[in-house]
């Protein structure tokens, strides 16, 4: 028994390290997608709600086809509390995307992205207050340092130093970014509370909810008129 225990400990340690590395790479990939989405939104040049609808519609179709190809369509079925959780996060995600996309033309891609990325601070704060999760000193220090680094790489501080940026439209854009980051933090916290729902299933339902709720948007604000806009949206 002692021999088996000696062999079990290194295996579990290696497995945990591998899982942590995978999580870090997924976080980096997700951050890269979120950090560059402003380019696609600006190049598509559509109404924010139309852009959100296309994001949901294309996303739902892509996730549905991927699930079908893997034979996991049954995993997308939800009911009861899990379904309500998916619908609630879907509505918050719609609000998040709509605010973020509307903020970009009012400020800039750089400014909107930097301000929107304060959402990890909301997550840490709300997790500590509402979920009673411990927050290490390193997390409190690393988060603002990371935001400062993001601000430096986007040139936000240079733009602020070059002249006044204040204005009704600009301030509206900043408030939209803050509201979007709060919505995104809400999605994260709700997702953490629903451990029975896989991230893939939750993502599909978020897109499905958005596709249904905003189905009217392209008819009201107009469909893309240029092929390039369709390409950027896709």
């Amino acid at each position: 028994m002692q021999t088996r225990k000696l062999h079990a400990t290194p295996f579990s340690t290696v497995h945990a390290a591998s899982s942590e590395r995978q999580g870090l790479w997924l976080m980096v990939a997700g951050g890269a997608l979120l950090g560059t989405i402003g380019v696609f939104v600006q190049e598509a040049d559509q109404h924010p709600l139309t852009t959100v609808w296309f994001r949901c519609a294309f996303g739902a179709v892509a996730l549905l086809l991927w699930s079908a190809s893997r034979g996991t369509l049954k995993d997308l079925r939800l009911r009861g509390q899990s379904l309500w959780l998916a619908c609630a996060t879907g509505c918050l995600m719609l609000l998040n995307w709509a605010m973020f996309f509307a903020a970009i033309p009012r400020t800039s891609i750089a400014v909107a992205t930097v301000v929107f990325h304060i959402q990890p601070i909301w997550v840490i704060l709300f997790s500590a207050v509402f979920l009673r999760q411990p927050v290490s000193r390193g997390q409190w220090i690393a988060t603002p340092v990371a935001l400062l680094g993001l601000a430096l790489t986007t040139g936000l501080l240079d733009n602020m130093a070059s002249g006044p940026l204040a204005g009704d439209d600009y301030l509206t854009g900043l408030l939209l970014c803050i509201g979007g980051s709060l919505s995104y933090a809400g999605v994260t916290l709700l997702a953490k509370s629903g451990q029975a729902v896989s991230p893939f299933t939750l993502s599909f339902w978020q897109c499905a909810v958005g596709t249904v709720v905003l189905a009217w948007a392209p008819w009201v604000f107009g469909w893309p008129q240029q092929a390039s806009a369709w390409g950027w949206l896709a």
Side-chain angles (χ1 to χ4, degrees):
M1 291 181 63
Q2 186 176 6
T3 303
R4 285 198 295 271
K5 185 180 291 186
L6 288 174
H7 282 84
T9 302
F11 175 78
S12 61
T13 302
V14 171
H15 178 73
S18 176
S19 178
E20 183 176 356
R21 282 196 299 271
Q22 183 183 19
L24 289 173
W25 280 113
L26 287 172
M27 184 172 63
V28 170
L33 288 173
L34 184 61
T36 57
I37 190 175
V39 176
F40 295 84
V41 173
Q42 182 166 306
E43 291 297 328
D45 194 25
Q46 302 299 308
H47 189 277
L49 293 182
T50 301
T51 305
V52 173
W53 183 82
F54 274 102
R55 180 172 172 81
C56 292
F58 285 144
V61 170
L63 292 172
L64 188 65
L65 292 176
W66 177 259
S67 184
S69 69
R70 296 172 61 88
T72 58
L73 284 175
K74 63 180 183 298
D75 296 337
L76 299 181
R77 298 173 184 170
L78 294 179
R79 62 184 62 184
Q81 185 177 359
S82 297
L83 180 58
W84 284 108
L85 172 70
C87 291
T89 58
C91 292
L92 282 175
M93 190 61 78
L94 285 182
L95 192 60
N96 153 50
W97 286 340
M99 287 184 170
F100 181 41
F101 295 169
I104 291 175
R106 288 175 168 83
T107 54
S108 67
I109 294 177
V111 172
T113 302
V114 169
V115 177
F116 181 79
H117 272 77
I118 67 174
Q119 59 89 10
I121 296 179
W122 300 130
V123 173
I124 292 175
L125 180 62
F126 294 157
S127 295
V129 174
F130 298 111
L131 302 181
R132 295 293 189 268
Q133 292 186 350
V135 180
S136 67
R137 181 181 299 178
Q139 287 177 311
W140 285 118
I141 296 175
T143 301
V145 170
L147 289 173
L148 177 60
L150 186 62
L152 291 172
T153 58
T154 55
L156 173 61
L157 299 182
D158 292 337
N159 291 334
M160 293 178 64
S162 62
L165 294 172
D168 291 342
D169 210 37
Y170 184 85
L171 292 176
T172 300
L174 291 180
L175 291 175
L176 286 169
C177 285
I178 294 173
S181 67
L182 283 168
S183 300
Y184 194 86
V187 171
T188 303
L189 294 176
L190 283 176
K192 288 170 68 70
S193 66
Q195 299 297 329
V197 183
S198 70
F200 183 89
T201 301
L202 199 59
S203 297
F204 169 77
W205 276 95
Q206 288 172 354
C207 290
V209 168
T211 304
V212 174
V213 172
L214 290 180
W216 54 271
W219 300 98
V220 173
F221 299 112
W223 295 84
Q225 299 299 312
Q226 298 179 344
S228 60
W230 284 90
W232 284 107
L233 290 169

